[in-house]
Amino acid sequence: MASMSLARATVPPAVARSTGSSAKQSGSRTFAAVAKTTRTHNVAFEKRFLSGDATQFSSQAVSCVKTGAYQRRSVSVRANGGEGAILPPADENETKILGIPMSTISKVVPLGFMFFCILFNYTILRDTKDVLVVTAPGSGAEVIPFLKTWVNLPMAIGFMIGYSKLVNILSTETLFYVVIAPFLAFFASFAFFLYPNRDFLHPNALADQLTEQFGQRAMGPISILRNWTYCLFYVMAELWGSVVVSVLFWGFANQIIAVDEAKQFYPLFGLGANVALIFSGQCVLYFSELRERLPPGVDGWGVSLKGMMGVVVGFGACIIATYYYLNRTIVPKIEAAKLAGQIQMGVKKKKKSKMGVAESMKYLASSSYIRDLALLVVSYGVCINLVEVTWKGKIKAQYPNPNDYSAFMGNFSTATGIVTFSMMIASRYIFSKYGWGVAALITPPVLL
């Protein structure tokens, strides 16, 4: 049965009382007639609701509200097949740009800029982490699976445990600053302290002894130990994508963007993400080519690292400033509207009985739909890791120098952004003409 949401209809204060008794009697008769009409419509409304006829009873509801109120301030009626936010009707006097109210633009534009900065940084970090680990002494692309399994996964689990504890201690705004600040501090310290002192910090002598004792079969763990600062950078860059993008940004976006607005603007965020990929790729290319303009004897990759990490910290400051601005201008208005009952960012979900780990696994395994989705995700992970190791190994063979490797990755990121942006636009035609199945079958043959 279609869902129905009816916002609170408010009636202005009563008109000043008349001094004449005839006016009082007339007002009483009018009020009695209105009340009778309202009760009649309410009965019809309930019958329609119980019968599930959403199309007909929504018109009855609007008629009831219009009849029973001398003047309506805000009424929002919504009948559809899914859950959504309840929004007050737009103010007719509110300024609009391209048909979009300024109240919506004031949220979406800063959020879009914030998303652009986050993904701009992520592209730089993603390209840099590969260069550091793959081109490091005694390392290679073969280290990546060990790094993801034995370092990245435990640190991700540890972070989520710590984050879940901080959620119960800190406010939402403070938690955002507490989480994102260590990332920016680490990336700055890596470029200006850890990397310049890598020869002192890396246990090369111990790694050489372990290699002589255990041989090449232990290359993965030994390489992680030898280049531990590079591996730490790799993990922090991976966590930036998981934490800052998935947890911090989307959690905040869902806090201030209603479902109706999300349907309209979230796809635009996806397009903006690929625009960030294009520009950040060119940024990586620019700093990677600085070596050609440096005098002999200067560590070109060290200079490139300082430039790129400086950009990351700068865009990180823009992220924090934008978040601070939204929390001072937009969030208070939304919270006040929620308390006044004028806006609801979603519907309350029914409480579900808690299940243990074994019961949850049994429940998930009983659904063929979830099993198929799990198979898709696992297959994707296996394929991308197999292709990634081989592909990055070939890139190292072609570009052993870190600056050359980084320049290639910058061009590759730009090309990826252009192709993905074009495919997102073309996907609407593919989905509408051929369906999701055909669209999903395009990627495996391309990968092969």
Side-chain angles (χ1 to χ4, degrees), residues 235-297:
V235 173
M236 293 295 287
E238 286 283 334
L239 288 178
W240 177 275
S242 303
V243 174
V244 180
V245 178
S246 303
V247 178
L248 296 184
F249 174 78
W250 285 117
F252 179 61
N254 292 332
Q255 177 187 348
I256 66 174
I257 297 293
V259 177
D260 286 346
E261 295 170 331
K263 293 178 181 178
Q264 182 179 3
F265 294 105
Y266 279 6
L268 297 179
F269 286 175
L271 293 175
N274 291 287
V275 174
L277 193 63
I278 295 171
F279 284 99
S280 57
Q282 290 303 299
C283 178
V284 171
L285 178 63
Y286 171 79
F287 284 106
S288 299
E289 293 178 345
L290 284 179
R291 183 189 61 170
E292 300 175 357
R293 300 189 290 271
L294 296 175

Side-chain angles (χ1 to χ4, degrees), residues 26-93:
S26 176
S28 300
R29 288 194 299 269
T30 303
F31 180 79
V34 169
K36 182 178 180 180
T37 305
T38 302
R39 286 194 298 270
T40 303
H41 284 293
N42 283 341
V43 173
F45 179 89
E46 293 173 359
K47 290 181 178 179
R48 295 296 185 188
F49 182 84
L50 294 175
S51 64
D53 192 349
T55 305
Q56 296 184 26
F57 78 69
S58 61
S59 61
Q60 293 283 354
V62 176
S63 175
C64 171
V65 173
K66 288 182 177 179
T67 306
Y70 293 104
Q71 182 180 353
R72 184 182 60 183
R73 285 185 184 174
S74 63
V75 175
S76 176
V77 179
R78 187 164 184 252
N80 57 29
E83 297 178 354
I86 304 173
L87 298 172
D91 187 0
E92 295 179 356
N93 298 324

Side-chain angles (χ1 to χ4, degrees), residues 129 132 186-187 190 229-237 309:
K129 70 179 177 61
L132 287 170
F186 171 79
F187 295 135
F190 180 85
T229 60
Y230 298 174
C231 295
L232 184 59
F233 184 96
Y234 187 99
V235 173
M236 293 295 287
M309 293 306 104

Side-chain angles (χ1 to χ4, degrees), residues 2 6 108 116 158 172 174 191 250 262 268 275 322 324 326 328 393 413 428:
L6 179 62
V108 172
F116 177 91
T172 303
T174 304
W250 285 117
L268 297 179
V275 174
T322 305
Y324 180 86
L326 289 172
R328 295 298 175 275
S413 296
R428 297 186 61 183

